[in-house]
Amino acid sequence: MRLVRWTPDDLVRRLDDVVAVYGEAMGYRTDLLEARRGYIATHVRRPGFRAVASLTSEGHLAGFGYGYLGGPGQWWHDQVHRALDAPTRKRWLTHCFEVVELHVRPPAQGHGLGAGQLRALLTMAEGDTTLLSTPEADEQTSRAWRLYRRFGFVDVLRDFHFPGDERPFGVLGRDLPLERPAS
């Protein structure tokens, strides 16, 4: 398995694979995946876009992650902005790198791919803070929640409902830069 940095063109070229991994990891229906395809394709043009991919030795996509600088007029940013009070907005949204997607195919989970992808993204990220959202789950049993806590993410907003998704989400944040591991 190798972790590679992706350009916007790399991600768009592998969009079918990206959507397939996203669907497997999130358990979304096919109709939702088709809508997501269009969003992902436009995200690559956002300021501060960064992406990584975990590839097998055969070049198959085992996981990916990407993010960009958030700002007014972006759907996710505006949803979260409306839910926060003014001091919390200023703290977290002023110069924020949003981790938009971070997924690993279920059979490849539990082997450190997600941690490697997240570390790489946060190391490359612009911004003073980083935010992400994840479905609410038992923090003791959820791999995603345990990963985010290991990386120092704290609660910014809990039990939040995004329009169009009946599940509650947690919005988590941490300061940047990410400390580089000692060599």
Side-chain angles (χ1 to χ4, degrees):
M1 200 70 63
R2 62 192 169 98
L3 180 67
V4 297
R5 182 176 179 170
W6 265 359
T7 66
D9 288 341
D10 293 329
L11 191 145
V12 171
R13 253 191 311 281
R14 298 288 301 262
L15 193 54
D16 289 343
D17 295 332
V18 164
V19 171
V21 170
Y22 175 80
E24 286 179 42
M26 294 297 284
Y28 281 146
R29 299 183 324 260
T30 305
D31 59 325
L32 292 176
L33 294 178
E34 286 310 308
R36 198 72 192 143
R37 174 185 304 279
Y39 299 136
I40 293 170
T42 64
H43 288 166
V44 302
R45 293 189 290 278
R46 298 260 169 101
F49 178 84
R50 302 287 186 270
V52 296
S54 295
L55 302 172
T56 68
S57 56
E58 298 82 22
H60 299 293
L61 185 64
F64 74 96
Y66 74 85
Y68 47 74
L69 291 172
Q74 298 171 358
W75 184 85
W76 189 92
H77 176 276
D78 291 349
Q79 298 300 315
V80 172
H81 182 273
R82 281 192 283 275
L84 300 175
D85 62 31
T88 307
R89 278 186 217 124
K90 183 175 169 115
R91 160 84 172 96
W92 290 106
L93 293 174
T94 300
H95 188 222
C96 176
F97 180 82
E98 293 174 15
V99 176
V100 179
E101 304 294 351
L102 184 74
H103 302 291
V104 175
R105 285 188 192 273
Q109 291 176 2
H111 303 286
L113 298 181
Q117 291 173 176
L118 184 58
R119 183 175 295 104
L121 271 181
L122 297 183
T123 300
M124 296 185 300
E126 297 178 37
D128 298 322
T129 61
T130 183
L131 289 175
L132 59 82
S133 58
T134 189
E136 291 283 358
D138 181 342
E139 292 188 33
Q140 301 305 309
T141 60
S142 167
R143 284 185 173 138
W145 278 87
R146 290 193 323 260
L147 172 66
Y148 301 140
R149 293 302 194 206
R150 277 196 320 269
F151 272 77
F153 280 85
V154 299
D155 295 349
V156 175
L157 188 60
R158 294 297 298 265
D159 295 310
F160 181 69
H161 288 267
F162 288 100
D165 198 322
E166 66 280 351
R167 299 170 302 166
F169 282 77
V171 175
L172 307 177
R174 64 156 287 141
D175 290 319
L176 289 176
L178 181 68
E179 302 78 29
R180 294 187 188 267
S183 357

